[in-house]
Amino acid sequence: MARDKTNSTQSAPSTQRTGEQAPNPVWFKPVMFGFMLLGLAWIIVFYVSQGALPIPALESWNIVVGFGIAFIGFLMTTRWR
């Protein structure tokens, strides 16, 4: 008796995830909070030193730099899973 010529091998199930995203790496949360705390520390140092630190040449732009660093941390929270 002859065998049919149909494909007898089964295809592997799809490994693509639908609707669910992979979790963040271990380093993500410490870096996120690190940016937020670094930005806060930058602003506090600027105010406590009365503008002499962290970078005197930037003068009042140190506030923008501090908020920018903290903002990076807050943007990372949108990707946190």
Side-chain angles (χ1 to χ4, degrees), residues 38-66:
L38 180 64
L40 178 65
W42 191 288
I43 294 169
I44 290 173
V45 166
F46 174 73
Y47 277 116
V48 169
S49 69
Q50 297 177 353
L53 295 172
I55 301 176
L58 290 179
E59 298 172 350
S60 294
W61 285 98
N62 276 306
I63 297 171
V64 176
V65 172

Side-chain angles (χ1 to χ4, degrees), residues 1-61:
M1 189 180 236
R3 295 178 91 184
D4 290 337
K5 291 192 176 197
T6 59
N7 190 0
S8 63
T9 60
Q10 295 178 354
S11 62
S14 177
T15 58
Q16 183 179 9
R17 299 172 114 180
T18 57
E20 185 180 333
Q21 297 177 352
N24 293 108
V26 176
W27 56 264
F28 192 83
K29 193 172 16 172
V31 170
M32 177 182 69
F33 286 118
F35 274 124
M36 287 188 268
L37 291 174
L38 180 64
L40 178 65
W42 191 288
I43 294 169
I44 290 173
V45 166
F46 174 73
Y47 277 116
V48 169
S49 69
Q50 297 177 353
L53 295 172
I55 301 176
L58 290 179
E59 298 172 350
S60 294
W61 285 98

